[in-house]
């Protein structure tokens, strides 16, 4: 993909160079030979100006395409710093509101979702992987394709002061209280 971006930038540079050169000289160098009487067929100053404008517009289009390719390549992979920032933002987002306890006691899917949201535009969310480090711990190893090294997110939970989620019973009269938890998340370099 980098070769494609370089190609677009080189073509843009060529169009700029052709636009800067005197258009009349270009005519006499490359096009005049086709005519029996080249002086009579020489384009007007307005035509030369139009040609120069078209070359500059084409250069702009090629430069834009090159930047688009560079941006697509960047969005297709994570850097170590981008992953670190996304994981730290995800940890902050987890602390903002209470969460229900996961049925399996595992926050891996929630963390993966938060990292993907926090890193939107930095890298593909499908390349992030979050794994629980132990059955009884709330330590999670976060990694991404193409990034050397991993990060460790440690989560501690306490029952929320905001109360619990009240779920009505099937009979219409009873209710069930499902506790919500405030999460505290920290991020460290390396595995858990």
């Amino acid at each position: 993909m980098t070769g494609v971006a370089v190609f677009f930038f080189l073509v843009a540079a060529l169009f700029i160079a052709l636009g800067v050169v005197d258009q009349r000289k270009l005519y006499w160098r490359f096009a005049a030979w086709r005519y029996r009487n080249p002086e009579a067929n020489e384009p007007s100053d307005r035509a030369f100006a139009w040609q120069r404008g078209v070359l500059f517009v084409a250069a702009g289009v090629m430069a834009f395409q090159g930047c688009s390719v560079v941006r697509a390549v960047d969005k297709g992979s994570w850097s170590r710093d981008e992953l670190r920032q996304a994981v730290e933002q995800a940890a902050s987002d987890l602390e903002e509101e209470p969460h229900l306890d996961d049925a399996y006691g595992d926050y891996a899917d929630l963390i993966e979702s938060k990292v993907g949201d926090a890193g939107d535009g930095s890298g593909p969310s499908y390349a992030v992987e979050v794994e629980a480090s132990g059955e009884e711990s709330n330590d999670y190893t976060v990694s991404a394709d193409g990034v050397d090294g991993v990060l460790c997110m440690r989560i501690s939970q306490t029952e929320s002061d905001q109360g619990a989620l009240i779920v009505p019973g099937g009979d219409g009269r009873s209710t069930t209280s499902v506790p919500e938890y405030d999460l505290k998340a920290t991020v460290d370099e390396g595995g858990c």
Side-chain angles (χ1 to χ4, degrees):
M1 285 291 250
T2 306
V4 174
V6 169
F7 170 76
F8 281 127
F9 289 127
L10 287 175
V11 171
L14 175 66
F15 284 149
I16 289 172
L18 289 173
V20 170
V21 172
D22 182 16
Q23 300 300 302
R24 192 170 309 282
K25 287 183 181 179
L26 283 177
Y27 167 77
W28 283 102
R29 176 86 170 180
F30 297 108
W33 63 269
R34 293 185 284 184
Y35 302 106
R36 181 175 290 174
N37 186 1
E39 291 86 11
N41 292 303
E42 184 176 10
S44 67
D45 289 338
R46 178 181 276 167
F48 285 136
W50 179 255
Q51 182 176 337
R52 177 173 278 139
V54 168
L55 287 168
F56 287 137
V57 168
V61 169
M62 289 296 124
F64 176 77
Q65 290 299 332
C67 291
S68 296
V69 170
V70 168
R71 187 178 28 231
V73 168
D74 184 48
K75 280 184 82 171
S77 63
W78 289 89
S79 73
R80 187 174 183 83
D81 291 336
E82 289 172 337
L83 180 63
R84 171 90 184 177
Q85 289 174 351
V87 172
E88 287 175 350
Q89 180 62 46
S92 175
D93 291 347
L94 285 170
E95 294 176 353
E96 286 182 1
E97 60 186 35
H99 298 276
L100 296 174
D101 195 16
D102 187 274
Y104 303 105
D106 184 12
Y107 290 108
D109 290 337
L110 179 63
I111 295 169
E112 192 171 312
S113 172
K114 293 287 186 183
V115 170
D117 291 346
D120 188 31
S122 297
S125 60
Y126 61 81
V128 175
E129 188 172 324
V130 178
E131 294 180 2
S133 296
E135 287 186 30
E136 295 299 319
S137 72
N138 278 333
D139 295 346
Y140 299 90
T141 302
V142 182
S143 62
D145 292 345
V147 175
D148 293 333
V150 295
L151 298 168
C152 177
M153 183 182 287
R154 290 186 167 80
I155 294 181
S156 59
Q157 64 183 26
T158 56
E159 199 163 325
S160 177
D161 294 335
Q162 295 182 9
L165 181 67
I166 306 299
V167 180
D171 61 4
R173 289 177 285 194
S174 64
T175 59
T176 303
S177 175
V178 178
E180 290 184 308
Y181 295 93
D182 292 325
L183 303 180
K184 174 79 173 133
T186 59
V187 179
D188 298 312
E189 291 286 334
C192 298

